[in-house]
């Protein structure tokens, strides 16, 4: 497969139109259509459904789109690393992380490094542990910040000397808002909104003393910012980490910690035998020095 043709395919997938994609690519429609047809013949798969109003992807087309985006991301990352592989410290650093206040550690390290090496640029991807580890395994990011009980045995890692606190995000006029902390039995009959990572793990259910099927889990989320909008409507109570949603001032929401306390461990991970760019080496060196200072 020619990477150029894959970029053509990606343009069509994004525009949902061969005509519009041809305009974007500054080429005429017939050669673009021919290239796409040749790609389908090469793979032996139908990738596009050419409708009267728009072009849609088949299941094979959706898979190829996902893989093409990953390949192009990796190609761009590799080009950036090679551009910054000389003696000067510059280039790109790619970081993936779950929603946690501990991301401020990365921000502080980046700020300090920026003073010494202003030509370094950073790229942040947000997602749960599964998404972060997938990107790490595929070489799309350099470092991951993982929250909670995650198997990190196949990575190099540093456990952070801080922990996040679990609690419940709710409306200020909710029945549980009058409590200083929330106990497990308080949630047994409530509509719960939980993160997908939590939903598939056992820790929170062990704390709740109930299996998932015995609880009223009305929604799962990936990003608490989006889930908070559902909480505002009174749709449910979100089990979330502290300090991720602003609950001060006139905000309709409040946060109450769980009792007994439930904490989430944090660790920074990177691939074993990773060949880092000079920029990533300096960033990791700074993170390690900060971690050793804290300990």
């Amino acid at each position: 497969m020619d990477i150029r043709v894959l970029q053509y395919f990606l343009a069509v997938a994004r525009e949902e139109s061969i005509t519009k994609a041809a305009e974007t690519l500054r080429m005429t429609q017939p050669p673009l259509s021919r290239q796409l047809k040749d790609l389908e013949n090469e793979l032996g798969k139908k990738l596009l459904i050419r409708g009267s109003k728009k072009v849609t992807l088949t299941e094979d087309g959706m898979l190829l789109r996902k893989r093409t985006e990953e390949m192009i991301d990796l190609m761009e990352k590799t080009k950036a690393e090679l551009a910054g592989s000389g003696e000067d410290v510059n280039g790109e650093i790619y970081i993936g992380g779950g929603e946690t206040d501990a991301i401020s550690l990365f921000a502080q390290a980046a700020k300090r490094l920026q003073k010494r090496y202003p030509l370094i640029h950073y790229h942040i991807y947000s997602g749960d542990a599964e998404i972060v580890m997938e990107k790490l395994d595929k070489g799309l990011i350099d470092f991951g910040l993982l929250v909670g009980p995650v198997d990190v045995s196949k990575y190099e890692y540093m456990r952070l000397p801080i922990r996040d606190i679990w609690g419940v995000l709710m409306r200020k006029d909710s029945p549980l808002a009058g409590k200083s902390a929330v106990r497990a039995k308080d949630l047994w009959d409530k509509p719960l909104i939980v993160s997908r990572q939590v939903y598939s793990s056992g820790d929170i259910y062990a704390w709740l003393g109930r299996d998932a099927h015995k609880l009223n889990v009305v929604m799962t989320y990936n990003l608490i910012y989006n889930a908070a909008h559902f909480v505002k409507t009174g749709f449910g109570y979100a089990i979330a980490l502290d300090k991720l949603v602003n609950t001060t001032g006139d905000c309709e929401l409040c946060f109450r910690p769980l009792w007994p306390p439930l904490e989430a461990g944090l660790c920074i991970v990177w691939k074993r035998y990773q060949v880092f760019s000079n920029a990533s080496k300096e960033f990791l060196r700074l993170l390690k020095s900060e971690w050793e200072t804290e300990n």
Side-chain angles (χ1 to χ4, degrees):
M1 290 184 291
D2 189 323
I3 190 67
R4 178 175 51 86
V5 177
L6 290 176
Q7 289 173 320
Y8 292 168
F9 166 76
L10 197 56
V12 173
R14 289 170 175 165
E15 296 291 341
E16 297 183 339
S17 166
I18 294 177
T19 301
K20 290 181 180 178
E23 292 173 357
T24 300
L25 296 167
R26 296 178 178 169
M27 62 189 299
T28 57
Q29 183 176 339
L32 176 57
S33 295
R34 187 167 57 252
Q35 295 269 21
L36 296 171
K37 195 63 181 175
D38 289 345
L39 179 62
E40 289 180 317
N41 291 336
E42 178 185 354
L43 297 175
K45 297 288 184 180
K46 185 175 179 62
L47 304 172
L48 304 170
I49 301 173
R50 296 162 174 81
S52 57
K53 293 186 177 180
K54 69 176 185 177
V55 174
T56 56
L57 299 179
T58 64
E59 287 190 12
D60 291 318
M62 287 187 281
L63 174 61
L64 182 62
R65 176 178 181 169
K66 184 175 186 296
R67 295 294 181 243
T68 298
E69 289 173 336
E70 291 170 351
M71 284 189 285
I72 291 175
D73 283 348
L74 184 57
M75 181 181 69
E76 293 301 321
K77 183 175 183 294
T78 303
K79 286 166 61 178
E81 288 174 342
L82 290 172
S85 63
E87 294 183 2
D88 294 334
V89 178
N90 58 60
E92 318 291 317
I93 296 176
Y94 295 79
I95 301 167
E99 287 186 300
T100 168
D101 186 58
I103 196 68
S104 61
L105 297 177
F106 280 121
Q108 292 163 12
K111 179 64 176 177
R112 281 189 284 274
L113 203 61
Q114 185 185 50
K115 293 179 179 179
R116 294 165 55 191
Y117 307 113
L119 296 180
I120 295 177
H121 301 281
Y122 300 84
H123 306 274
I124 302 290
Y125 297 90
S126 296
D128 58 23
E130 182 180 355
I131 292 173
V132 171
M133 290 191 292
E134 180 184 3
K135 285 187 175 294
L136 198 62
D137 292 342
K138 291 177 178 178
L140 300 176
I141 59 175
D142 301 307
F143 306 101
L145 177 56
L146 303 181
V147 183
V150 181
D151 182 9
V152 296
S153 58
K154 67 177 181 178
Y155 302 110
E156 297 290 342
Y157 62 91
M158 295 189 300
R159 295 201 182 275
L160 299 181
I162 57 175
R163 300 176 74 83
D164 276 342
I165 304 297
W166 284 102
V168 181
L169 187 68
M170 67 187 89
R171 287 181 56 90
K172 286 181 178 177
D173 58 4
S174 299
L176 298 183
K179 295 177 174 288
S180 60
V182 176
R183 295 179 178 273
K185 64 180 181 180
D186 296 328
L187 299 173
W188 288 348
D189 61 345
K190 299 295 187 294
L192 302 180
I193 300 172
V194 301
S195 76
R196 284 202 291 272
Q197 184 176 336
V198 166
Y199 187 72
S200 60
S201 70
D203 280 19
I204 194 68
Y205 301 116
W207 182 90
L208 285 165
R210 290 286 189 275
D211 293 332
H213 68 275
K214 293 182 179 179
L215 296 165
N216 184 21
V217 178
V218 295
M219 191 178 84
T220 64
Y221 67 85
N222 184 33
L223 299 174
I224 188 58
Y225 175 83
N226 294 333
H229 288 280
F230 286 80
V231 178
K232 286 180 182 179
T233 68
F235 184 72
Y237 294 76
I239 297 177
L241 296 173
D242 196 6
K243 301 178 182 178
L244 298 182
V245 175
N246 181 16
T247 57
T248 60
D250 297 331
C251 180
E252 305 166 62
L253 304 178
C254 63
F255 181 89
R256 298 291 181 266
L258 301 180
W259 187 265
L262 182 63
E263 299 179 336
L266 299 156
C267 62
I268 299 168
V269 298
W270 59 95
K271 288 177 69 174
R272 286 183 177 172
Y273 316 114
Q274 172 80 2
V275 179
F276 283 125
S277 65
N278 289 339
S280 295
K281 286 178 185 175
E282 288 299 319
F283 189 69
L284 180 58
R285 186 178 295 117
L286 183 57
L287 288 175
K288 285 183 173 180
S289 67
E290 293 293 325
W291 181 74
E292 289 169 357
T293 300
E294 290 291 336
N295 284 274

